[in-house]
Amino acid sequence: MSPNDWRCGRDFVFDSGEIAKTVARRGLLALEIEVDPGGDVREIWDVVGQAKALGARCVSIVGDEPMGHAEVLDLVSRICSLRMQVAMFTDGAGMSAEVARFLLANEVRVILRLASGRAGLRKQLTEPGGHCGGLPEAFRSLRDAGYPARNGVLGVSVIVGAENYAELPSFWRWLREEDLEPHFELPKAPVNGARSWQSPVRAHELHSMLRVLAESDRSFGGLEWLPQPPIAGSACVRNRVSCFVTASGSVMPCQGVRISIGSVREKSLAELLRESEILQDLRDFADTIRGPCVDCEQFGRCHGCRGTAFRLTGDYLASDPLCWRNADRQAEIECLPCGVAGVVPHQKPMRLVETLVSIGERNAVVELVVPEDGPFIAASGVLERAAYPEIVAQAAAAWNGFKSRRHDGLPRGYLLGIKRFRFDGAARAGDRLVVSLFKVARFGDFGIMEGKVSKGTHVLARGEIKVWHENPRQTQGRRFPSDRESVVSGVSAPPELPTG
Amino acid sequence: MKKTLSEKEVIALTNRVLAESFEIEEERLLPEKRIFADLGLDSLDTVDLVVALQKRFSITIREDERVRSIRSLGDLYTYIMTVQQEQQAGTEG
């Protein structure tokens, strides 16, 4: 294996050609689906069928404990009948000898999840009677059934933390010796945890650990891989050719970027994938990601962890704050909410909007406090009605300006028209207003947005604006990923061990 | 699975969109009519037309070479027929 080969386990390997084709047709190569005990198996089956039609050939079954679903084995059997590969992420519940044999017969990749925040990794897996539920019994059942085998990958998932940091290298080596696949990943930061959350493992510690693991693989089996986040032994590019479907039918880019792009209960998966601006941004990551990642020598084949970036900054296109390569450039990684001065061309007193709060699928939220005076304030201190369409237009400018931050200069934009504006109430100086934007449609550089201006729970004005704004991406040069890239197995996947 | 509309249905629905959105008399909506020169739409109307067509046909219209080559109403009918078939088949042109 060379440093330029990127794999996702033995089978979940996609080459750059098929990735490029899949990106171009807005299709799938893999699907992550959440299976909860009460989940509707018909809906899951329907989603899998749609994913298959879109080109997916791998399904990762995830959830709190997917093995707790009464029909999960039937589901596995049916997915396999479509000639799709299955990866099952489990805590080991219900893993009897019979179930283990069934999974092996269907060539299911099984990934056992160790408890996070707890030391004694090997003990968790091998010693019954501890605090780890049925995990040791499940491990024994799987091994008795014949796992790991040529057609039966057995992986072990570990959340890296301060508690287990010291034992990770020896545990990794032991997993390799036992022909088990290590899946090491960082704990998920809380959403909007940018200013409060501290990773239990700092960036340089993660770097050191990955270097040790890479060296271990080099000496153990001649495996070569470049240490880079977010996962040990591989790069993650799942956002380009995969999606995650929750138990309630919401479709999201991945388990880390938990922004719903819509529901399979309302639209087909093909429609959702075709229409999602977030997915398109992630497919075009080399054009869209902002901050220091862009200057990294690995950029183009690595974009850090989108989930970590989203959770820590509120921006799914931010550079990965936990990558050690960005450790000295944290100030260049912008977080939401952020001030819009410098993001929009307007200056006070014409500029009314103040803060871009969040960006979602075709929507954004912006805030402002009504100023004491200025061209939009009447003598009575009331905000003039004419200001509301302007506020909505400025909010749209802030959204587009933020998304264009990577490029030089501010994008030009114009308000072309307003339609169906309705007013109900008035705002006064000092009132805090929230602007909710929804992009109804975009066609080239034209767009139609619905805007709603609220004070607390009361909607003061709502209506539609038509705007023109330039898209700097269309004029920028590009670098594309090359060679082979690993994509999806639900979490990280290390390179395979040589066989024979 | 949505039903694929016939050519006749596509023509009728497209004409209805144009009539409702831009107040164009139905008798002027003939395949050979040029959208800008004969029907009087301008570039600012284009986005409204796209939104209305997307909504009416449940399709996604992107600004690409095929769209840019549309000149007449007949071109538009053909384009919509093609896109709805592609998108229902899960393929992209």
Side-chain angles (χ1 to χ4, degrees), chain A residues 26 271 274 441 444 466, chain B residues 2 44 48 51 62-63 92:
Chain A
R26 294 169 163 82
E271 284 175 285
R274 190 170 65 229
K466 187 193 293 184
Chain B
K2 284 176 208 145
L44 294 186
D48 292 314
V51 170
R62 290 200 209 93
E63 191 194 27
E92 296 285 335

Side-chain angles (χ1 to χ4, degrees), chain A residues 127-361:
Chain A
E127 291 188 13
H131 300 290
C132 306
L135 201 57
E137 287 77 11
F139 184 55
R140 195 176 60 227
S141 294
L142 288 160
R143 305 224 26 183
D144 289 348
Y147 277 99
R150 181 177 172 78
N151 295 319
V153 173
L154 181 55
V156 177
S157 170
V158 176
I159 304 294
V160 175
E163 304 83 357
N164 57 29
Y165 180 80
E167 61 180 303
L168 290 173
S170 61
F171 188 59
W172 178 282
R173 183 62 177 253
W174 178 78
L175 293 173
R176 288 297 200 208
E177 288 168 354
E178 297 292 320
D179 200 18
L180 303 170
E181 268 200 9
H183 291 236
F184 287 13
E185 57 181 334
L186 283 171
K188 288 184 172 59
V191 175
N192 292 330
R195 287 173 173 80
S196 58
W197 190 76
Q198 292 293 318
S199 167
V201 179
R202 286 172 291 185
H204 74 271
E205 292 172 327
L206 177 65
H207 186 202
S208 299
M209 194 257 293
L210 290 180
R211 284 167 62 185
V212 169
L213 301 183
E215 181 53 37
S216 171
D217 274 1
R218 193 174 299 120
S219 63
F220 178 71
L223 293 167
E224 300 268 353
W225 49 271
L226 292 172
Q228 63 186 50
I231 50 186
S234 190
C236 173
V237 290
R238 76 183 67 177
N239 295 130
R240 306 187 74 203
V241 291
S242 171
C243 69
F244 169 54
V245 181
T246 71
S248 59
S250 286
V251 181
M252 302 180 178
C254 67
Q255 293 188 70
V257 183
R258 285 190 172 255
I259 307 174
S260 177
I261 64 163
S263 172
V264 290
R265 295 174 185 176
E266 293 166 3
K267 287 187 172 182
S268 71
L269 201 51
E271 284 175 285
L272 294 168
L273 265 54
R274 190 170 65 229
E275 294 171 4
S276 168
E277 291 196 354
I278 288 180
L279 288 185
Q280 194 56 41
D281 284 342
L282 293 168
R283 292 184 192 108
D284 296 340
F285 74 91
D287 277 333
T288 55
I289 285 178
R290 295 179 281 273
C293 275
V294 178
D295 300 328
C296 178
E297 61 190 17
Q298 293 301 315
F299 188 61
R301 46 185 303 104
C302 167
H303 52 36
C305 178
R306 294 296 88 218
T308 299
F310 171 66
R311 285 167 175 271
L312 290 181
T313 70
D315 175 15
Y316 59 94
L317 296 173
S319 290
D320 185 344
L322 290 189
C323 176
W324 56 89
R325 295 171 193 269
N326 297 333
D328 297 330
R329 299 180 65 182
Q330 295 291 309
E332 297 172 51
I333 301 175
E334 291 182 298
C335 299
L336 294 174
C338 81
V340 302
V343 175
V344 297
H346 313 69
Q347 302 288 330
K348 287 196 169 183
M350 283 301 292
R351 177 169 60 77
L352 293 164
V353 297
E354 293 176 338
T355 308
L356 178 62
V357 177
S358 64
I359 295 176
E361 176 61 46

Side-chain angles (χ1 to χ4, degrees), chain A residues 24-26 54 270-271 274-275 416 419 440-448 466 474, chain B residues 2 43-48 50-51 54-55 58-63 67 87 90 92:
Chain A
R25 63 179 171 79
R26 294 169 163 82
L54 288 163
E271 284 175 285
R274 190 170 65 229
E275 294 171 4
L416 301 176
K419 205 188 264 185
V440 178
R442 192 186 79 185
F443 185 71
D445 291 339
F446 294 95
I448 291 182
K466 187 193 293 184
Q474 291 173 349
Chain B
K2 284 176 208 145
S43 58
L44 294 186
D45 294 324
T46 308
V47 66
D48 292 314
V50 166
V51 170
Q54 288 188 150
K55 202 174 286 181
S58 298
I59 56 174
T60 304
I61 299 175
R62 290 200 209 93
E63 191 194 27
V67 166
Q87 293 184 358
E92 296 285 335

Side-chain angles (χ1 to χ4, degrees), chain B residues 25-83:
Chain B
E25 300 83 1
E26 297 249 8
E27 57 271 22
R28 291 175 60 207
L29 297 172
L30 302 170
E32 65 274 16
K33 294 286 186 186
R34 290 168 299 173
I35 294 169
F36 287 166
D38 298 331
L39 299 180
L41 271 64
D42 60 29
S43 58
L44 294 186
D45 294 324
T46 308
V47 66
D48 292 314
L49 177 60
V50 166
V51 170
L53 291 172
Q54 288 188 150
K55 202 174 286 181
R56 185 60 58 95
F57 291 101
S58 298
I59 56 174
T60 304
I61 299 175
R62 290 200 209 93
E63 191 194 27
D64 58 18
E65 196 47 52
R66 292 187 303 178
V67 166
R68 284 190 286 272
S69 68
I70 293 172
R71 295 286 179 273
S72 68
L73 209 43
D75 295 340
L76 183 59
Y77 301 147
T78 305
Y79 172 79
I80 292 170
M81 286 292 294
T82 307
V83 168

Side-chain angles (χ1 to χ4, degrees), chain A residues 424-453:
Chain A
D424 180 18
R428 305 187 68 85
D431 285 344
R432 178 171 292 279
L433 305 183
V434 175
V435 189
S436 305
L437 287 171
F438 175 72
K439 194 181 292 180
V440 178
R442 192 186 79 185
F443 185 71
D445 291 339
F446 294 95
I448 291 182
M449 311 238 187
E450 281 176 2
K452 190 171 71 176
V453 183

